[in-house]
Amino acid sequence: MATKLRCAVLDDYQGVALSLADWSPLADALDITVVREHIADRDRLVETIRDCEIVVIMRERTPFPAELLDRLPALRLLVTTGMRNASVDLAAARRHGVTVCGTLSRPEPPVELTWALLLGLAREVPRESAAVRESGPWQSTVGADLHGRRLGLVGLGKIGSRVARVGAAFGMDVVAWSPNLTDERATAGGATRLATLAELLETSDFVSLHLVLGDRTRAIIGEPELRLLRPTAYLVNTSRAGLVDQTALATALREGWFAGAAVDVFDAEPLPADHEFRSLPRLLATPHLGYVTAGNYRTFFGEAVADITAYLAGEPVRVLG
C-alpha cells in the first residue's frame, strides 16, 4: 500500500471542515489532521505541521510568510479558502516549490452580515436584547431611521454593489466613492458617485466600507476622516481592519465623535482577551463572521478537496500567483 500524504486543516474553529465536504475520494491518499484551535506561536505551529505535504488554511487566520515557509521543507501544496490571501507570501512559496491554490468565495454572506450589523446599530438591538434578558428598562432607546437617509459606500465592487441594492430597497439615498469609481460604474452598481471621500463622509448617515486592502487603501479612514462624520452617523466595516486607523477609531468611539460603529474585522485575530475593542463604548463587534455561513463553507471545503484532487493528478487548478 502506498504511503499516505499528510494533510493538515488549520483553524477549523467550528469543527466542520470534514462534514461540510465529501473528502472520501481522498481517503486512500491522505492522512488528515484537523486543528480546531488557532496556533499563534510560530514554533508550535511548525511542530504541528512540519511533516505535512499539504496544508489547508481558512482565509487569513494563519499567515504563511516567508519565515514560516522556510521552516516547512515537506510542504508541497497550500490551499487557501478564497482566491485572494494577502497573508501568504506567494513569491516565497514559489521559491520553495510550493503550489498555492484557492477556492471560490460567495459574495452574499458578507453582504448579509453588513446589513445585520447596520440594522443592529440603527435599532440598538444588542442593548435592547440585553435589557429584555436582564429585566432591564423596557424601550430605553430610540432607533435611527433608514428610509430617506443616506448610505455611503466606500467601494462598490461585488459586495458593495449588493449592499447598495438592499439600501435602495430600504428607500435610502445610496452614494459611493472609491479611487477608480466612474459615474457609469456607480450607476450600474446602484449608486450615485461622489467626487471625494470627504464629501461621502460629511453627508452620509451610514458609511460602509467595501474596499480591497492595499497600499493605496491602508488607513484610508484615519483621524481626519473620522472627524468628518456627523455626530449622528454610523460606520460599518466588514472588509478589512487595515482600512481604518484602529487607534483613531478607538479614540473616536471613546470620545463620541459619531454615533457608533460596527466592526467584524480586527488587526489581531482572534482578538486578545484584554483588547480594548472588547469593551469600547458605541461599538458593535462580531468575530469576523462575514464569510462564515454553511453555504460558503461548503464552497470552501468542497473546492479544497477538488484542489487537492487536481494537484495529486498533476493538473492543479485555481493556482494563485
Side-chain angles (χ1 to χ4, degrees):
M1 179 180 294
T3 302
K4 292 185 177 182
L5 298 177
R6 286 150 295 195
C7 173
V9 180
L10 299 183
D11 295 305
D12 182 17
Y13 296 162
Q14 297 91 359
V16 296
L18 300 186
S19 62
L20 289 180
D22 180 9
W23 294 77
S24 62
L26 296 171
D28 294 334
L30 300 185
D31 181 7
I32 303 174
T33 298
V34 173
V35 181
R36 291 194 59 176
E37 75 278 9
H38 177 68
I39 303 177
D41 180 78
R42 181 68 56 77
D43 292 336
R44 184 178 164 219
L45 177 62
V46 170
E47 184 64 26
T48 301
I49 63 175
R50 183 197 311 275
D51 298 326
C52 292
E53 291 90 358
I54 301 171
V55 174
V56 179
I57 60 176
M58 174 59 73
R59 306 297 292 165
E60 294 91 1
R61 289 176 182 173
T62 295
F64 269 69
E67 294 80 5
L68 175 58
L69 291 163
D70 289 344
R71 300 175 63 183
L72 300 174
L75 185 62
R76 290 294 172 264
L77 174 64
L78 182 64
V79 177
T80 175
T81 56
M83 289 301 293
R84 182 188 296 116
N85 190 331
S87 73
V88 175
D89 189 326
L90 296 176
R94 286 193 297 272
R95 288 197 303 271
H96 287 284
V98 176
T99 300
V100 182
C101 297
T103 73
L104 296 180
S105 181
R106 295 171 54 183
E108 297 87 2
V111 173
E112 293 162 4
L113 185 72
T114 295
W115 280 103
L117 293 177
L118 193 152
L119 290 166
L121 280 175
R123 302 303 292 270
E124 296 276 6
V125 171
R127 180 175 172 181
E128 294 288 6
S129 177
V132 171
R133 287 182 172 274
E134 298 164 7
S135 298
W138 191 260
Q139 293 185 355
S140 63
T141 64
V142 178
D145 293 288
L146 270 63
H147 184 85
R149 299 298 177 90
R150 171 165 284 190
L151 171 64
L153 301 175
V154 183
L156 197 65
K158 288 191 300 182
I159 294 173
S161 59
R162 285 172 166 81
V163 173
R165 289 200 290 270
V166 178
F170 276 118
M172 303 184 78
D173 171 29
V174 183
V175 298
W177 175 89
S178 70
N180 299 313
L181 187 64
T182 64
D183 289 334
E184 293 75 19
R185 287 173 52 207
T187 300
T192 299
R193 185 183 74 89
L194 296 186
T196 65
L197 174 60
E199 182 183 2
L200 182 146
L201 297 173
E202 289 172 335
T203 64
S204 295
D205 299 291
F206 298 87
V207 175
S208 189
L209 307 182
H210 302 287
L211 290 173
V212 174
L213 180 62
D215 292 340
R216 289 201 304 163
T217 59
R218 187 173 300 277
I220 196 169
I221 305 292
E223 178 178 340
E225 289 74 25
L226 292 172
R227 288 191 179 276
L228 293 177
L229 291 169
R230 297 173 173 180
T232 55
Y234 296 92
L235 176 70
V236 179
N237 186 9
T238 57
S239 184
R240 289 293 182 269
L243 296 173
V244 182
D245 182 322
Q246 299 295 283
T247 300
L249 177 59
T251 300
L253 292 171
R254 283 195 302 268
E255 297 182 0
W257 299 356
F258 48 91
V263 298
D264 186 49
V265 286
F266 307 89
D267 280 344
E269 296 184 11
L271 202 62
D274 60 350
H275 198 285
E276 65 177 335
F277 273 69
R278 290 185 179 269
S279 57
L280 282 171
R282 304 178 182 86
L283 178 66
L284 172 56
T286 49
H288 207 154
L289 299 177
Y291 59 91
V292 182
T293 69
N296 216 23
Y297 270 24
R298 289 190 182 96
T299 298
F300 284 166
F301 293 120
E303 295 200 352
V305 170
D307 285 350
I308 297 170
T309 302
Y311 174 82
L312 295 180
E315 300 177 351
V317 296
R318 290 183 288 270
V319 177
L320 304 183

